Coordinates of all heavy atoms in Angstrom, one line a residue:
M301 N -7.0 -15.6 -2.2 CA -7.3 -16.3 -1.0 C -8.8 -16.0 -0.6 O -9.3 -14.9 -0.8 CB -6.4 -15.8 0.1 CG -6.7 -16.6 1.4 SD -5.4 -16.4 2.7 CE -5.6 -14.7 3.1
G302 N -9.5 -17.0 -0.1 CA -10.8 -16.8 0.3 C -11.2 -17.7 1.4 O -10.4 -18.6 1.8
I303 N -12.4 -17.6 1.9 CA -12.9 -18.5 3.0 C -14.1 -19.2 2.4 O -15.0 -18.6 1.8 CB -13.3 -17.7 4.2 CG1 -12.1 -16.9 4.8 CG2 -14.0 -18.6 5.3 CD1 -12.4 -16.1 6.0
R304 N -14.2 -20.5 2.6 CA -15.3 -21.3 2.1 C -15.8 -22.2 3.3 O -15.1 -22.5 4.2 CB -14.9 -22.1 0.9 CG -13.9 -23.2 1.2 CD -13.7 -24.0 0.0 NE -12.5 -24.9 0.1 CZ -12.5 -26.1 0.7 NH1 -13.7 -26.5 1.2 NH2 -11.5 -26.8 0.8
D305 N -17.1 -22.5 3.2 CA -17.7 -23.4 4.2 C -17.2 -24.8 4.0 O -16.9 -25.3 2.9 CB -19.2 -23.5 4.0 CG -19.9 -22.2 4.5 OD1 -19.3 -21.5 5.3 OD2 -21.0 -21.8 4.0
R306 N -17.1 -25.5 5.1 CA -16.6 -26.9 5.1 C -17.8 -27.8 4.9 O -18.7 -27.8 5.8 CB -15.9 -27.2 6.4 CG -15.4 -28.5 6.6 CD -14.0 -28.6 6.1 NE -13.3 -29.8 6.4 CZ -12.0 -29.8 6.6 NH1 -11.3 -28.6 6.6 NH2 -11.4 -30.9 6.9
N307 N -17.8 -28.6 3.9 CA -18.8 -29.7 3.6 C -20.2 -29.2 3.3 O -20.7 -29.5 2.3 CB -18.8 -30.7 4.7 CG -17.5 -31.4 4.9 OD1 -16.7 -31.6 4.0 ND2 -17.1 -31.7 6.1
K308 N -20.8 -28.4 4.2 CA -22.2 -28.0 4.0 C -22.4 -26.5 4.0 O -21.6 -25.8 4.7 CB -23.1 -28.6 5.1 CG -23.1 -30.1 5.3 CD -24.1 -30.5 6.3 CE -23.4 -30.7 7.7 NZ -24.3 -31.0 8.7
P309 N -23.3 -26.0 3.3 CA -23.6 -24.6 3.3 C -23.9 -24.0 4.6 O -23.6 -22.9 4.9 CB -24.7 -24.4 2.3 CG -24.8 -25.6 1.5 CD -24.2 -26.7 2.3
D310 N -24.6 -24.8 5.5 CA -25.0 -24.3 6.8 C -23.9 -24.6 7.9 O -24.2 -24.3 9.1 CB -26.3 -24.9 7.2 CG -26.3 -26.4 7.3 OD1 -25.4 -27.0 6.7 OD2 -27.2 -26.9 8.0
S311 N -22.8 -25.1 7.5 CA -21.7 -25.4 8.5 C -21.1 -24.2 9.1 O -21.0 -23.2 8.4 CB -20.6 -26.2 7.8 OG -19.6 -26.4 8.7
K312 N -20.8 -24.2 10.4 CA -20.2 -23.1 11.1 C -18.7 -23.1 11.0 O -18.0 -22.2 11.3 CB -20.6 -23.0 12.5 CG -22.1 -22.6 12.7 CD -22.4 -22.5 14.1 CE -23.9 -22.2 14.2 NZ -24.4 -22.0 15.6
E313 N -18.2 -24.3 10.5 CA -16.7 -24.5 10.3 C -16.3 -23.8 9.0 O -16.9 -24.0 8.0 CB -16.4 -26.0 10.3 CG -14.9 -26.2 10.3 CD -14.7 -27.7 10.4 OE1 -15.6 -28.5 10.7 OE2 -13.5 -28.1 10.1
K314 N -15.2 -23.1 9.1 CA -14.7 -22.4 7.9 C -13.3 -22.8 7.6 O -12.5 -23.2 8.5 CB -14.7 -20.9 8.1 CG -16.0 -20.2 8.5 CD -16.9 -20.2 7.3 CE -18.2 -19.5 7.7 NZ -19.2 -19.5 6.7
V315 N -12.9 -22.8 6.3 CA -11.6 -23.2 5.9 C -11.0 -22.0 5.1 O -11.7 -21.5 4.2 CB -11.7 -24.5 5.0 CG1 -10.3 -24.8 4.5 CG2 -12.2 -25.6 5.8
I316 N -9.8 -21.6 5.4 CA -9.2 -20.6 4.6 C -8.4 -21.2 3.5 O -7.6 -22.1 3.6 CB -8.2 -19.8 5.5 CG1 -8.9 -19.1 6.6 CG2 -7.4 -18.8 4.6 CD1 -8.0 -18.3 7.6
V317 N -8.8 -20.8 2.3 CA -8.1 -21.3 1.1 C -7.1 -20.3 0.6 O -7.4 -19.1 0.4 CB -9.2 -21.5 0.0 CG1 -8.6 -22.1 -1.3 CG2 -10.3 -22.4 0.5
G318 N -5.9 -20.7 0.4 CA -4.8 -19.7 0.0 C -3.8 -20.3 -0.9 O -4.0 -21.4 -1.4
K319 N -2.7 -19.6 -1.1 CA -1.7 -20.1 -2.0 C -0.4 -20.1 -1.2 O -0.2 -19.3 -0.3 CB -1.5 -19.1 -3.2 CG -2.7 -19.0 -4.1 CD -2.5 -18.0 -5.2 CE -3.7 -18.0 -6.1 NZ -3.5 -17.0 -7.2
S320 N 0.5 -21.1 -1.5 CA 1.7 -21.2 -0.8 C 2.8 -20.2 -1.3 O 2.6 -19.7 -2.4 CB 2.3 -22.6 -0.9 OG 2.5 -22.9 -2.3
A321 N 3.8 -20.0 -0.5 CA 4.9 -19.1 -0.8 C 6.1 -19.9 -1.1 O 6.3 -21.0 -0.5 CB 5.1 -18.1 0.3
D322 N 7.0 -19.3 -1.9 CA 8.3 -20.0 -2.2 C 9.3 -19.5 -1.1 O 9.8 -18.4 -1.1 CB 8.8 -19.6 -3.5 CG 10.1 -20.1 -3.9 OD1 10.7 -20.9 -3.1 OD2 10.7 -19.8 -5.0
M323 N 9.5 -20.4 -0.1 CA 10.3 -20.0 1.0 C 11.8 -20.5 0.9 O 12.6 -20.4 1.8 CB 9.7 -20.6 2.3 CG 8.4 -20.1 2.6 SD 8.3 -18.3 2.8 CE 9.2 -18.0 4.2
G324 N 12.1 -21.1 -0.3 CA 13.5 -21.5 -0.5 C 14.0 -22.5 0.5 O 13.3 -23.5 0.8
T325 N 15.1 -22.3 1.1 CA 15.7 -23.2 2.1 C 15.0 -23.2 3.4 O 15.2 -24.1 4.3 CB 17.2 -22.9 2.4 OG1 17.3 -21.6 2.9 CG2 18.0 -23.0 1.1
R326 N 14.1 -22.3 3.6 CA 13.3 -22.2 4.9 C 12.0 -23.0 4.8 O 11.2 -23.0 5.8 CB 13.0 -20.8 5.2 CG 14.2 -19.8 5.3 CD 15.0 -20.0 6.5 NE 16.1 -19.1 6.5 CZ 17.3 -19.4 6.3 NH1 17.7 -20.6 6.0 NH2 18.3 -18.5 6.3
K327 N 11.7 -23.7 3.7 CA 10.4 -24.3 3.5 C 10.1 -25.4 4.5 O 8.9 -25.7 4.8 CB 10.3 -24.8 2.1 CG 11.2 -26.0 1.8 CD 11.0 -26.4 0.4 CE 12.0 -27.6 0.1 NZ 11.9 -28.0 -1.3
D328 N 11.1 -26.0 5.1 CA 10.9 -27.1 6.1 C 10.8 -26.7 7.5 O 10.7 -27.5 8.4 CB 11.9 -28.2 5.9 CG 11.9 -28.9 4.5 OD1 10.7 -29.0 4.0 OD2 12.9 -29.2 4.0
K329 N 10.9 -25.4 7.8 CA 10.9 -24.8 9.1 C 9.5 -24.7 9.6 O 8.5 -24.7 8.9 CB 11.5 -23.4 9.2 CG 13.0 -23.4 8.7 CD 13.9 -24.1 9.7 CE 15.3 -24.1 9.3 NZ 16.1 -24.9 10.2
V330 N 9.4 -24.6 11.0 CA 8.1 -24.4 11.6 C 7.9 -22.9 11.8 O 8.7 -22.3 12.4 CB 8.0 -25.1 13.0 CG1 6.7 -24.8 13.7 CG2 8.1 -26.6 12.8
F331 N 6.8 -22.4 11.2 CA 6.5 -21.0 11.3 C 5.5 -20.7 12.4 O 4.5 -21.4 12.5 CB 6.0 -20.4 9.9 CG 7.1 -20.4 8.9 CD1 7.4 -21.5 8.1 CD2 7.8 -19.2 8.7 CE1 8.4 -21.4 7.2 CE2 8.8 -19.1 7.8 CZ 9.1 -20.2 7.0
V332 N 5.9 -19.8 13.3 CA 5.0 -19.5 14.5 C 4.2 -18.3 14.4 O 3.2 -18.2 15.1 CB 5.9 -19.4 15.7 CG1 6.5 -20.8 16.0 CG2 7.0 -18.4 15.6
D333 N 4.5 -17.3 13.5 CA 3.7 -16.1 13.3 C 3.9 -15.5 12.0 O 4.9 -15.7 11.3 CB 4.0 -15.1 14.4 CG 2.9 -14.2 14.8 OD1 1.8 -14.3 14.1 OD2 3.0 -13.4 15.7
V334 N 2.9 -14.8 11.5 CA 2.9 -14.1 10.3 C 2.3 -12.7 10.5 O 1.3 -12.5 11.2 CB 2.1 -14.8 9.2 CG1 2.0 -14.0 7.9 CG2 2.7 -16.2 8.9
C335 N 2.9 -11.6 9.9 CA 2.4 -10.3 9.9 C 2.3 -9.8 8.5 O 3.2 -10.0 7.7 CB 3.3 -9.3 10.7 SG 3.6 -9.8 12.3
S336 N 1.2 -9.1 8.2 CA 1.0 -8.6 6.8 C 0.9 -7.1 6.8 O 0.2 -6.5 7.5 CB -0.2 -9.2 6.2 OG -0.1 -10.6 6.0
G337 N 1.7 -6.5 5.8 CA 1.6 -5.1 5.6 C 0.9 -4.9 4.2 O 0.3 -5.8 3.7
T338 N 1.0 -3.7 3.7 CA 0.3 -3.4 2.4 C 1.1 -4.1 1.2 O 0.4 -4.5 0.3 CB 0.2 -1.9 2.2 OG1 1.5 -1.3 2.3 CG2 -0.7 -1.3 3.2
E339 N 2.4 -4.2 1.3 CA 3.2 -4.7 0.2 C 3.9 -6.0 0.6 O 4.3 -6.7 -0.3 CB 4.1 -3.7 -0.3 CG 3.4 -2.5 -1.0 CD 4.4 -1.6 -1.7 OE1 5.4 -2.1 -2.2 OE2 4.1 -0.4 -1.7
W340 N 4.2 -6.2 1.8 CA 5.0 -7.3 2.3 C 4.4 -8.1 3.3 O 3.5 -7.7 4.1 CB 6.3 -6.7 2.8 CG 7.0 -5.8 1.9 CD1 6.9 -4.4 1.9 CD2 7.8 -6.1 0.8 NE1 7.6 -3.9 0.9 CE2 8.2 -4.9 0.2 CE3 8.3 -7.3 0.3 CZ2 9.0 -4.8 -0.9 CZ3 9.1 -7.2 -0.8 CH2 9.5 -6.0 -1.4
T341 N 4.8 -9.4 3.4 CA 4.3 -10.3 4.5 C 5.6 -10.7 5.2 O 6.6 -11.0 4.6 CB 3.6 -11.5 3.9 OG1 2.5 -11.0 3.2 CG2 3.2 -12.4 5.0
Y342 N 5.5 -10.8 6.5 CA 6.6 -11.2 7.4 C 6.3 -12.5 8.0 O 5.2 -12.6 8.6 CB 6.9 -10.1 8.4 CG 7.2 -8.8 7.8 CD1 6.2 -7.9 7.5 CD2 8.6 -8.4 7.5 CE1 6.5 -6.7 6.9 CE2 8.8 -7.2 6.9 CZ 7.8 -6.3 6.6 OH 8.1 -5.1 6.0
A343 N 7.1 -13.5 8.0 CA 6.9 -14.8 8.6 C 8.1 -15.1 9.5 O 9.2 -14.8 9.2 CB 6.7 -15.8 7.6
M344 N 7.8 -15.7 10.7 CA 8.8 -15.9 11.7 C 8.9 -17.4 12.0 O 7.8 -18.1 12.2 CB 8.5 -15.2 13.0 CG 9.5 -15.3 14.0 SD 9.0 -14.3 15.4 CE 10.3 -14.7 16.6
T345 N 10.1 -18.0 12.0 CA 10.3 -19.4 12.3 C 10.5 -19.6 13.8 O 10.9 -18.6 14.5 CB 11.4 -20.0 11.5 OG1 12.7 -19.4 11.9 CG2 11.3 -19.9 10.0
E346 N 10.3 -20.8 14.2 CA 10.4 -21.1 15.7 C 11.9 -21.3 16.1 O 12.4 -20.7 16.9 CB 9.6 -22.3 16.0 CG 9.6 -22.7 17.5 CD 8.8 -23.9 17.8 OE1 8.7 -24.8 17.0 OE2 8.2 -23.9 18.9
E347 N 12.5 -22.4 15.5 CA 13.9 -22.7 15.9 C 14.7 -22.9 14.6 O 14.4 -23.8 13.8 CB 13.9 -24.0 16.7 CG 13.4 -23.8 18.1 CD 13.4 -25.1 18.9 OE1 14.5 -25.7 19.0 OE2 12.4 -25.6 19.4
P348 N 15.8 -22.3 14.4 CA 16.2 -21.0 15.1 C 15.2 -19.9 14.6 O 14.7 -20.0 13.5 CB 17.6 -20.7 14.6 CG 17.6 -21.4 13.3 CD 16.7 -22.6 13.4
P349 N 15.0 -18.9 15.4 CA 14.1 -17.8 15.0 C 14.7 -17.0 13.8 O 15.7 -16.4 14.0 CB 13.9 -17.0 16.2 CG 15.0 -17.3 17.1 CD 15.5 -18.7 16.8
I350 N 14.0 -17.0 12.7 CA 14.4 -16.3 11.6 C 13.1 -15.5 11.1 O 12.0 -16.0 11.0 CB 14.9 -17.2 10.5 CG1 16.2 -17.9 10.9 CG2 15.1 -16.5 9.2 CD1 16.7 -19.0 10.0
L351 N 13.3 -14.2 10.8 CA 12.3 -13.4 10.2 C 12.5 -13.3 8.7 O 13.5 -12.9 8.2 CB 12.3 -12.0 10.8 CG 11.2 -11.0 10.4 CD1 9.9 -11.5 10.8 CD2 11.5 -9.6 10.9
C352 N 11.4 -13.7 8.0 CA 11.5 -13.7 6.5 C 10.6 -12.6 5.9 O 9.5 -12.4 6.5 CB 11.0 -15.0 6.0 SG 11.9 -16.4 6.7
I353 N 11.0 -11.9 4.9 CA 10.2 -11.0 4.2 C 9.7 -11.7 2.9 O 10.5 -12.2 2.1 CB 10.9 -9.7 3.8 CG1 11.3 -8.9 5.0 CG2 10.1 -8.8 2.9 CD1 12.1 -7.7 4.8
I354 N 8.4 -11.7 2.7 CA 7.8 -12.3 1.5 C 7.2 -11.2 0.6 O 6.4 -10.4 1.2 CB 6.8 -13.4 1.9 CG1 7.5 -14.4 2.8 CG2 6.2 -14.1 0.7 CD1 6.5 -15.2 3.7
N355 N 7.5 -11.2 -0.7 CA 7.0 -10.1 -1.5 C 5.6 -10.5 -2.1 O 5.0 -11.6 -1.8 CB 8.0 -9.8 -2.6 CG 8.2 -10.9 -3.6 OD1 7.4 -11.8 -3.8 ND2 9.3 -10.8 -4.3
K356 N 5.0 -9.6 -2.9 CA 3.7 -9.8 -3.5 C 3.6 -11.1 -4.4 O 2.6 -11.6 -4.6 CB 3.3 -8.6 -4.3 CG 2.9 -7.4 -3.5 CD 2.4 -6.3 -4.3 CE 1.9 -5.2 -3.5 NZ 1.4 -4.1 -4.3
D357 N 4.8 -11.5 -4.9 CA 4.8 -12.7 -5.8 C 5.0 -13.9 -5.0 O 5.3 -15.0 -5.5 CB 6.0 -12.5 -6.8 CG 5.8 -11.4 -7.8 OD1 4.6 -11.1 -8.1 OD2 6.8 -10.7 -8.1
R358 N 4.9 -13.8 -3.7 CA 5.0 -14.9 -2.7 C 6.3 -15.6 -2.7 O 6.5 -16.8 -2.6 CB 3.9 -16.0 -3.0 CG 2.5 -15.4 -2.8 CD 1.4 -16.4 -2.9 NE 1.5 -17.3 -4.0 CZ 1.1 -17.0 -5.2 NH1 0.5 -15.9 -5.5 NH2 1.2 -17.9 -6.2
K359 N 7.4 -14.8 -2.9 CA 8.8 -15.3 -2.9 C 9.5 -14.6 -1.7 O 9.3 -13.4 -1.4 CB 9.5 -15.0 -4.1 CG 8.9 -15.7 -5.3 CD 9.9 -15.8 -6.4 CE 9.3 -16.4 -7.7 NZ 9.2 -17.8 -7.7
M360 N 10.3 -15.4 -1.0 CA 11.1 -14.9 0.1 C 12.1 -14.0 -0.4 O 13.0 -14.5 -1.2 CB 11.7 -16.0 1.0 CG 12.4 -15.4 2.2 SD 13.0 -16.7 3.3 CE 14.2 -17.6 2.3
E361 N 12.1 -12.8 0.0 CA 13.1 -11.8 -0.6 C 14.3 -11.6 0.3 O 15.4 -11.4 -0.2 CB 12.3 -10.5 -0.9 CG 13.0 -9.6 -1.9 CD 12.1 -8.6 -2.4 OE1 11.2 -8.9 -3.2 OE2 12.3 -7.4 -2.1
K362 N 14.0 -11.5 1.6 CA 15.1 -11.3 2.6 C 14.8 -12.1 3.8 O 13.7 -12.5 4.0 CB 15.2 -9.8 3.0 CG 15.6 -8.9 1.8 CD 15.7 -7.5 2.3 CE 16.1 -6.6 1.2 NZ 16.3 -5.2 1.6
W363 N 15.8 -12.3 4.7 CA 15.6 -12.9 5.9 C 16.6 -12.4 6.9 O 17.7 -11.8 6.5 CB 15.7 -14.4 5.8 CG 17.0 -15.0 5.3 CD1 17.3 -15.1 4.0 CD2 18.1 -15.3 6.1 NE1 18.6 -15.6 4.0 CE2 19.1 -15.8 5.2 CE3 18.4 -15.3 7.5 CZ2 20.3 -16.2 5.7 CZ3 19.6 -15.8 7.9 CH2 20.6 -16.2 7.0
M364 N 16.3 -12.5 8.2 CA 17.2 -12.0 9.3 C 17.2 -13.1 10.4 O 16.2 -13.5 10.9 CB 16.7 -10.7 9.8 CG 17.6 -10.2 10.9 SD 17.2 -8.5 11.5 CE 15.6 -8.7 12.3
D365 N 18.4 -13.5 10.8 CA 18.6 -14.4 12.0 C 18.4 -13.5 13.2 O 19.0 -12.5 13.4 CB 20.0 -15.0 11.9 CG 20.2 -16.0 13.1 OD1 19.4 -16.1 14.0 OD2 21.3 -16.6 13.0
L366 N 17.4 -14.0 14.1 CA 17.1 -13.2 15.3 C 18.0 -13.5 16.4 O 17.9 -12.9 17.5 CB 15.6 -13.4 15.6 CG 14.7 -12.9 14.5 CD1 13.2 -13.3 14.9 CD2 14.8 -11.4 14.3
K367 N 19.0 -14.4 16.3 CA 20.0 -14.7 17.2 C 19.5 -15.0 18.6 O 19.9 -14.4 19.6 CB 21.0 -13.5 17.3 CG 21.7 -13.3 16.0 CD 22.7 -12.2 16.0 CE 23.4 -12.2 14.6 NZ 23.6 -10.9 14.1
A368 N 18.6 -15.9 18.7 CA 18.0 -16.4 19.9 C 17.8 -17.9 19.8 O 18.0 -18.5 18.7 CB 16.7 -15.7 20.2
A369 N 17.4 -18.6 20.9 CA 17.2 -20.0 20.8 C 15.8 -20.4 20.2 O 15.7 -21.3 19.4 CB 17.2 -20.6 22.2
K370 N 14.8 -19.5 20.4 CA 13.4 -19.8 20.0 C 12.7 -18.6 19.7 O 12.9 -17.6 20.4 CB 12.7 -20.7 21.0 CG 11.6 -21.5 20.6 CD 11.2 -22.5 21.7 CE 10.2 -23.4 21.1 NZ 9.8 -24.4 22.1
G371 N 11.8 -18.6 18.7 CA 11.0 -17.5 18.3 C 9.5 -17.7 18.7 O 9.1 -18.9 18.6
F372 N 8.8 -16.7 19.1 CA 7.4 -16.9 19.5 C 6.4 -16.0 18.7 O 5.3 -16.5 18.4 CB 7.3 -16.5 21.0 CG 8.1 -17.4 21.9 CD1 9.2 -16.9 22.5 CD2 7.7 -18.8 22.0 CE1 9.9 -17.8 23.3 CE2 8.5 -19.6 22.8 CZ 9.6 -19.1 23.5
A373 N 6.7 -14.8 18.5 CA 5.7 -13.9 17.8 C 6.3 -12.7 17.2 O 7.4 -12.3 17.5 CB 4.7 -13.4 18.9
C374 N 5.6 -12.1 16.2 CA 6.0 -10.9 15.6 C 4.8 -9.9 15.5 O 3.7 -10.4 15.4 CB 6.7 -11.1 14.2 SG 5.7 -11.9 13.0
K375 N 5.1 -8.6 15.5 CA 4.1 -7.6 15.4 C 4.6 -6.5 14.5 O 5.7 -6.1 14.6 CB 3.8 -7.1 16.8 CG 2.8 -5.9 16.9 CD 1.4 -6.3 16.5 CE 0.5 -5.1 16.6 NZ -0.7 -5.3 15.9
L376 N 3.7 -6.1 13.6 CA 4.1 -5.1 12.6 C 3.3 -3.8 12.9 O 2.1 -3.8 13.1 CB 3.8 -5.6 11.2 CG 4.1 -4.7 10.1 CD1 5.6 -4.4 9.9 CD2 3.5 -5.3 8.8
S377 N 4.0 -2.7 12.9 CA 3.3 -1.4 13.0 C 3.7 -0.6 11.8 O 4.4 -1.1 10.9 CB 3.8 -0.6 14.3 OG 5.1 -0.1 14.2
S378 N 3.3 0.7 11.7 CA 3.7 1.5 10.5 C 5.2 1.8 10.5 O 5.7 2.1 9.4 CB 2.9 2.8 10.5 OG 3.2 3.5 11.7
K379 N 5.9 1.7 11.6 CA 7.3 2.1 11.6 C 8.2 0.9 12.0 O 9.4 1.0 11.8 CB 7.5 3.2 12.6 CG 6.9 4.5 12.2 CD 7.2 5.6 13.2 CE 6.6 6.9 12.8 NZ 6.9 8.0 13.7
Y380 N 7.7 0.0 12.7 CA 8.5 -1.1 13.3 C 8.0 -2.5 13.1 O 6.8 -2.6 12.9 CB 8.6 -0.9 14.9 CG 9.1 0.5 15.3 CD1 8.2 1.4 15.8 CD2 10.5 0.8 15.2 CE1 8.7 2.6 16.2 CE2 10.9 2.0 15.7 CZ 10.0 3.0 16.1 OH 10.4 4.2 16.5
I381 N 8.9 -3.4 13.2 CA 8.5 -4.8 13.3 C 9.2 -5.3 14.6 O 10.4 -5.1 14.7 CB 8.8 -5.7 12.1 CG1 8.2 -7.1 12.3 CG2 10.2 -5.7 11.7 CD1 8.0 -7.9 11.1
L382 N 8.4 -5.9 15.5 CA 9.0 -6.4 16.7 C 8.9 -7.9 16.7 O 7.8 -8.5 16.3 CB 8.2 -5.8 17.9 CG 8.3 -4.3 18.1 CD1 7.1 -3.7 17.5 CD2 8.5 -4.0 19.5
C383 N 9.9 -8.6 17.2 CA 9.9 -10.0 17.3 C 10.2 -10.5 18.7 O 11.3 -10.1 19.3 CB 11.0 -10.6 16.3 SG 10.7 -10.1 14.6
A384 N 9.4 -11.3 19.3 CA 9.5 -11.8 20.6 C 10.2 -13.2 20.5 O 9.7 -14.1 19.9 CB 8.2 -11.9 21.3
C385 N 11.3 -13.3 21.3 CA 12.1 -14.6 21.3 C 12.3 -15.0 22.7 O 11.9 -14.4 23.7 CB 13.4 -14.3 20.6 SG 13.3 -13.8 18.9
S386 N 12.9 -16.2 22.8 CA 13.2 -16.8 24.1 C 14.3 -15.9 24.9 O 14.9 -15.0 24.3 CB 13.8 -18.2 24.0 OG 15.0 -18.2 23.2
D387 N 14.4 -16.2 26.2 CA 15.3 -15.5 27.1 C 15.1 -14.0 27.2 O 16.0 -13.3 27.4 CB 16.8 -15.8 26.6 CG 17.1 -17.3 26.6 OD1 16.6 -18.0 27.6 OD2 17.8 -17.7 25.7
G388 N 13.8 -13.6 26.9 CA 13.5 -12.2 27.0 C 14.0 -11.3 25.9 O 14.0 -10.1 26.0
I389 N 14.5 -11.9 24.8 CA 15.0 -11.1 23.7 C 13.9 -10.6 22.8 O 13.0 -11.4 22.4 CB 16.0 -12.0 22.8 CG1 17.2 -12.4 23.7 CG2 16.4 -11.3 21.6 CD1 18.0 -13.5 23.0
I390 N 13.9 -9.3 22.6 CA 12.9 -8.7 21.7 C 13.7 -7.9 20.6 O 14.5 -7.0 21.0 CB 11.9 -7.7 22.4 CG1 11.1 -8.5 23.4 CG2 11.1 -7.0 21.4 CD1 10.2 -7.6 24.3
T391 N 13.6 -8.3 19.4 CA 14.3 -7.6 18.3 C 13.3 -6.6 17.7 O 12.2 -6.9 17.4 CB 14.7 -8.6 17.2 OG1 15.5 -9.6 17.8 CG2 15.5 -8.0 16.1
V392 N 13.8 -5.4 17.6 CA 13.1 -4.3 17.0 C 13.8 -3.8 15.7 O 14.9 -3.4 15.8 CB 12.9 -3.1 17.9 CG1 12.1 -2.0 17.3 CG2 12.3 -3.5 19.3
S393 N 13.1 -3.9 14.6 CA 13.6 -3.4 13.3 C 12.9 -2.1 13.0 O 11.6 -2.1 13.0 CB 13.4 -4.4 12.2 OG 13.9 -3.8 11.0
Y394 N 13.6 -1.0 12.8 CA 12.9 0.3 12.6 C 12.6 0.6 11.1 O 11.9 1.5 10.8 CB 13.7 1.5 13.2 CG 15.1 1.6 12.7 CD1 15.3 2.5 11.6 CD2 16.2 1.0 13.3 CE1 16.6 2.6 11.1 CE2 17.5 1.2 12.8 CZ 17.7 2.0 11.7 OH 18.9 2.1 11.2
T395 N 13.1 -0.2 10.2 CA 12.7 -0.2 8.8 C 12.3 -1.6 8.4 O 13.2 -2.3 8.0 CB 13.8 0.4 8.0 OG1 14.3 1.6 8.5 CG2 13.3 0.7 6.5
P396 N 11.1 -1.9 8.4 CA 10.7 -3.3 8.2 C 11.2 -3.9 6.9 O 11.4 -5.1 6.8 CB 9.2 -3.3 8.3 CG 8.9 -2.2 9.2 CD 9.9 -1.2 8.9
L397 N 11.3 -3.1 5.8 CA 11.7 -3.6 4.5 C 13.2 -4.0 4.5 O 13.6 -5.0 4.0 CB 11.4 -2.7 3.4 CG 11.9 -3.1 2.0 CD1 11.2 -4.4 1.7 CD2 11.5 -2.1 1.0
T398 N 14.1 -3.2 5.2 CA 15.5 -3.5 5.1 C 16.0 -4.3 6.3 O 17.1 -4.8 6.3 CB 16.3 -2.2 5.0 OG1 16.0 -1.3 6.1 CG2 16.0 -1.5 3.7
L399 N 15.2 -4.3 7.4 CA 15.5 -5.1 8.6 C 16.7 -4.6 9.4 O 17.3 -5.4 10.1 CB 15.6 -6.6 8.3 CG 14.4 -7.2 7.8 CD1 14.6 -8.7 7.5 CD2 13.2 -7.1 8.7
P400 N 17.1 -3.4 9.4 CA 18.2 -3.0 10.4 C 17.5 -3.0 11.8 O 16.4 -2.8 11.9 CB 18.5 -1.5 10.0 CG 17.3 -1.0 9.3 CD 16.7 -2.2 8.7
T401 N 18.3 -3.3 12.8 CA 17.8 -3.4 14.1 C 18.2 -2.3 15.0 O 19.2 -1.6 14.8 CB 18.2 -4.7 14.8 OG1 19.6 -4.8 14.8 CG2 17.6 -5.9 14.0
I402 N 17.4 -2.1 16.1 CA 17.7 -1.0 17.1 C 18.5 -1.7 18.2 O 18.1 -2.8 18.7 CB 16.4 -0.4 17.6 CG1 15.8 0.4 16.5 CG2 16.8 0.5 18.8 CD1 14.4 1.0 16.9

């Protein structure tokens, strides 16, 4: 992945060039947030909110239904992944790789 200038070398507009991930049956969903760790990437869908774990080979390895109407954001720390959903629901997973919740 890299960043390149759009059209002209002196342009202030930048474009991120990347590679797509194999999201399986989730490929048609609207993704609202992405968090990256050292080995894994976490992506969250909007409706229904689902948290997906994507490995280094860009394949969805696991997913978790967040059991809410809508998803808004996710945040990754060294110990937790937090997911903000509708109706004041915040899901906290204390082991981001296995996704058990608190």
Side-chain angles (χ1 to χ4, degrees):
M301 183 166 69
I303 298 176
R304 64 176 170 82
D305 287 333
R306 178 87 168 216
N307 301 326
K308 299 187 267 179
D310 61 340
S311 174
K312 291 183 181 181
E313 187 176 347
K314 304 285 184 188
V315 177
I316 296 176
V317 180
K319 297 180 180 180
S320 61
D322 179 3
M323 298 303 291
T325 59
R326 308 283 182 256
K327 68 180 179 182
D328 295 327
K329 299 292 182 186
V330 174
F331 288 84
V332 293
D333 206 355
V334 175
C335 302
S336 292
T338 56
E339 295 188 33
W340 308 95
T341 299
Y342 302 86
M344 184 178 176
T345 64
E346 182 180 35
E347 289 182 55
I350 295 171
L351 182 65
C352 304
I353 296 180
I354 303 160
N355 65 21
K356 286 183 176 183
D357 296 324
R358 297 184 314 276
K359 296 203 184 276
M360 184 173 64
E361 203 162 286
K362 295 181 182 184
W363 60 273
M364 178 174 71
D365 182 351
L366 298 173
K367 299 180 179 139
K370 202 168 188 177
F372 298 110
C374 58
K375 174 68 178 161
L376 180 67
S377 74
S378 60
K379 294 182 181 180
Y380 304 103
I381 184 160
L382 297 98
C383 300
C385 300
S386 60
D387 302 321
I389 297 170
I390 297 174
T391 302
V392 180
S393 177
Y394 59 91
T395 309
L397 180 57
T398 59
L399 297 180
T401 58
I402 295 176

